[in-house]
Amino acid sequence: GLVGMINSVIAECDFDVNAVSTPSASAILTGDRAAVARAISAAEQDELAPALLDELRAAAATRHTPVLGITGTGGSGKSSLTDEIVRRFRLDQNDTVKIGLISIDPSRKRTGGALLGDRIRMNAIEHPNIFMRSLATRDTGSEISVALPEVIAACKLAGFDLVVVETSGIGQGNAAIVPFVDLSLYVMTPEFGAASQLEKIDMLDFADVVAINKFDKRG
């Protein structure tokens, strides 16, 4: 029956991916997507080998790959805007730019799970030069993952020309993405309430670019 099939699929998927294969710096350097993915999984679980961790930190320090951070309120259209940015890079640069895309979704406190649904809005990422990985905030209490520095470093080591980090939705008072990126883009909608609300939005003090999305709506 259906329940049996679901339980079977869950049982088959319930294993430690890091125990299957250990990522190496040399494999990541070649741009092997599977190695990058395994390194990210190990970083999320705080199981990176010390040697690989040193390589990632060195890459972060010496490789000047630009990192764009996209953050904003929930439902403002961050994922759709991220997809449009990727689409325009592909069109303008004739699919020559290699982009590493990291999308972070919130973990639900009640269940501990995360939807990881940002790729629902992604229509322009199906290309060998585009790598996308979803992360959960887990128990950080923030809009980013605690493993984000190592994840960005892994993307730099893999040779991406651009790394884009999309955070989970934020409210008025968080700008946690700013220290980890070179350029920050804050996405908001015109429905922010009274003008005095703008004084409460922390990201307006830090964002390099502010995108007013859904401006075409009535009002």
Side-chain angles (χ1 to χ4, degrees):
L2 181 59
V3 174
M5 287 189 282
I6 292 172
N7 290 338
S8 177
V9 170
I10 292 175
E12 290 292 326
C13 295
D14 189 14
F15 62 91
D16 183 3
V17 294
N18 295 326
V20 176
S21 177
T22 303
S24 65
S26 57
I28 296 173
L29 270 169
T30 64
D32 182 356
R33 301 302 171 84
V36 177
R38 287 195 296 271
I40 292 174
S41 295
E44 275 199 292
Q45 298 173 33
D46 197 21
E47 295 180 359
L48 277 174
L52 180 55
L53 187 57
D54 290 341
E55 289 268 10
L56 293 182
R57 287 171 177 166
T62 58
R63 297 192 176 221
H64 303 294
T65 306
V67 182
L68 169 65
I70 300 177
T71 189
T73 53
S76 62
K78 296 186 298 298
S79 298
S80 298
L81 183 60
T82 301
D83 183 61
E84 183 65 17
I85 290 173
V86 171
R87 187 182 76 88
R88 296 200 185 194
F89 262 108
R90 289 188 57 188
L91 290 174
D92 293 346
Q93 304 298 322
N94 295 317
D95 279 329
T96 58
V97 176
K98 297 179 180 179
I99 301 175
L101 178 57
I102 308 300
S103 289
I104 306 172
D105 245 16
S107 297
R108 299 182 67 117
K109 290 186 178 180
R110 185 171 183 178
T111 63
L115 179 62
L116 304 180
D118 292 312
R119 64 187 66 236
I120 295 171
R121 310 291 177 206
M122 304 289 178
N123 301 299
I125 63 173
E126 295 299 326
H127 190 273
N129 284 343
I130 310 297
F131 171 80
M132 181 179 182
R133 174 62 181 252
S134 295
L135 300 180
T137 57
R138 298 183 184 254
D139 54 357
T140 61
S142 174
E143 71 268 22
I144 62 173
S145 165
V146 70
L148 183 59
E150 288 76 25
V151 173
I152 292 175
C155 291
K156 288 184 176 182
L157 188 63
F160 291 109
D161 302 308
L162 172 69
V163 178
V164 180
V165 180
E166 179 202 350
T167 75
S168 63
I170 64 172
Q172 293 176 333
N174 218 329
I177 188 63
V178 175
F180 302 101
V181 300
D182 301 302
L183 194 77
S184 57
L185 167 60
Y186 178 63
V187 186
M188 61 184 297
T189 64
E191 297 88 8
F192 52 79
S196 60
Q197 293 295 321
L198 295 174
E199 299 297 328
K200 304 178 184 180
I201 301 175
D202 206 23
M203 267 305 295
L204 288 179
D205 293 331
F206 296 100
D208 298 293
V209 182
V210 178
I212 308 296
N213 216 3
K214 304 184 180 180
F215 68 94
D216 52 329
K217 294 177 70 175
R218 184 176 180 181

